[in-house]
Amino acid sequence: MSFLEILIPEGTIAGDVLQIQVGSSRNNSSSNSSDDGDGTAKSSSRLMDELNDLQQDDVREAVATVTRGEGLKSTVTLQLLEELPIEHNSSCNKEGDGTARHLWPSGIVLAQSLTSKMGIEYLSKTLKDFDCGQSIDCLELGSGLGGTGIALAFALNSIETHSPSNSYQIVLTDRGEDSVVLIQENIDRNCTTFGSSNISVTPHPLTWGNELSADCSAPKKFHCIIGSDLLYNSRESYQPLLTTIQQHLHPDGIVMLSVRWRKPELEREFFHKAEHLGLTFV
């Protein structure tokens, strides 16, 4: 795998828009030049050549690695595909804006928090009221690569006080068929240790404002709903997101959201709306 290093100008702060010119200097050797058709030589870009090489490499996989927290029985490093395998690219119906194919900062923070000692203790204490021999059901909204939902599975698997007869069902959701296929690929890569355990991790498509489809075997109400970096877009998404939370949250359930503040005055509107609907955040 090849890597490109792009230097960020000194003094740049988060949120700055950078313009990067891709090109080569005039004194490049003739081997890096081409004829433009009018007899003048046009220098080709070494950077573009490298990009083209990356795009033509059929065996390349974009893989994000994240190490999960110190509360687990053993440290786990997840291997998360950021792109669908080639055989799926032409068969999936594309939907969404591409944001599902990245590890978002708040997702990493939430995943590491869930798998920390404090996170596992919190889950154990909070979910014990549902631990009565029935399934404890968890839902992730805007799963993206599935890393945070998979981390939740590892955290729940580390709880030693739950009833042996109890089971956990974790449903990871995002918009579009290709997102579901990508999540399934990452589940298959990272959840093999749950094959014979009491933990089930499955992906399903879900567009905010709607309920899970009728063909989904998961329950309609969940004891725990998680989400990270869900407020990045605009206030237009807030009401559909809250509608979906209301539709799927168990009466005694909990919601855990990890938010990276980008436009605080705007994002606070979401929490104000949520509180008006009876959701309490601590």
Side-chain angles (χ1 to χ4, degrees):
M1 181 181 292
S2 300
F3 294 90
L4 303 177
E5 181 178 4
I6 299 176
L7 298 180
I8 304 301
E10 184 177 354
T12 301
I13 62 174
D16 284 354
V17 177
L18 303 181
Q19 293 184 342
I20 301 174
Q21 181 176 352
V22 179
S24 56
S25 62
R26 293 182 179 181
N27 60 359
N28 276 350
S29 65
S30 59
S31 61
N32 288 331
S33 300
S34 61
D35 195 316
D36 225 5
D38 57 1
T40 60
K42 179 181 179 181
S43 297
S44 64
S45 164
R46 292 180 180 177
L47 180 55
M48 287 304 299
D49 289 341
E50 292 184 46
L51 287 172
N52 289 334
D53 288 341
L54 286 174
Q55 292 168 353
Q56 293 168 5
D57 186 357
D58 289 342
V59 299
R60 180 180 71 89
E61 290 181 341
V63 179
T65 59
V66 180
T67 301
R68 297 310 188 214
E70 78 279 4
L72 300 179
K73 298 174 183 177
S74 59
T75 301
V76 175
T77 299
L78 302 184
Q79 300 285 327
L80 303 171
L81 282 180
E82 294 180 316
E83 297 289 341
L84 287 171
I86 294 171
E87 60 268 22
H88 293 296
N89 275 331
S90 60
S91 60
C92 289
N93 296 324
K94 304 296 182 181
E95 188 177 356
D97 55 7
T99 54
R101 298 188 181 187
H102 302 279
L103 270 176
W104 286 60
S106 292
I108 296 174
V109 171
L110 181 56
Q112 292 174 338
S113 298
L114 289 170
T115 53
S116 67
K117 292 179 181 179
M118 182 179 68
I120 293 173
E121 289 175 0
Y122 173 78
L123 288 170
S124 176
K125 179 180 179 181
T126 304
L127 298 179
K128 69 178 182 179
D129 293 337
F130 302 110
D131 195 356
C132 54
Q134 66 179 10
S135 173
I136 295 179
D137 303 305
C138 304
L139 174 70
E140 183 181 18
L141 301 175
S143 297
L145 304 182
T148 306
I150 293 171
L152 175 62
F154 277 97
L156 294 175
N157 192 52
S158 295
I159 296 177
E160 299 179 350
T161 58
H162 59 65
S163 168
S165 61
N166 198 78
S167 62
Y168 297 101
Q169 183 170 199
I170 305 172
V171 180
L172 312 186
T173 65
D174 215 311
R175 179 182 171 190
E177 179 186 347
D178 58 330
S179 295
V180 172
V181 174
L182 183 59
I183 294 170
Q184 184 63 65
E185 287 284 336
N186 286 326
I187 291 172
D188 293 341
R189 281 173 168 252
N190 296 282
C191 293
T192 55
T193 56
F194 303 142
S196 58
S197 74
N198 58 347
I199 295 180
S200 167
V201 187
T202 56
H204 287 281
L206 178 62
T207 300
W208 298 344
N210 301 328
E211 296 185 55
L212 284 166
S213 61
D215 60 352
C216 176
S217 59
K220 300 305 179 185
K221 299 293 182 181
F222 292 84
H223 305 105
C224 175
I225 295 179
I226 67 172
S228 56
D229 263 322
L230 302 184
L231 308 184
Y232 73 92
N233 193 1
S234 71
R235 61 167 58 91
E236 294 177 0
S237 65
Y238 293 172
Q239 189 56 54
L241 175 57
L242 287 169
T243 297
T244 292
I245 291 175
Q246 281 188 299
Q247 290 170 331
H248 294 92
L249 185 61
H250 186 281
D252 298 318
I254 60 172
V255 180
M256 289 186 284
L257 299 181
S258 178
V259 176
R260 181 181 182 181
W261 296 100
R262 294 177 175 87
K263 300 177 182 178
E265 292 305 318
L266 175 64
E267 290 148 348
R268 285 193 185 97
E269 290 186 19
F270 170 83
F271 294 99
H272 291 158
K273 288 177 178 289
E275 289 176 349
H276 285 307
L277 295 175
L279 294 175
T280 302
F281 293 91
V282 296

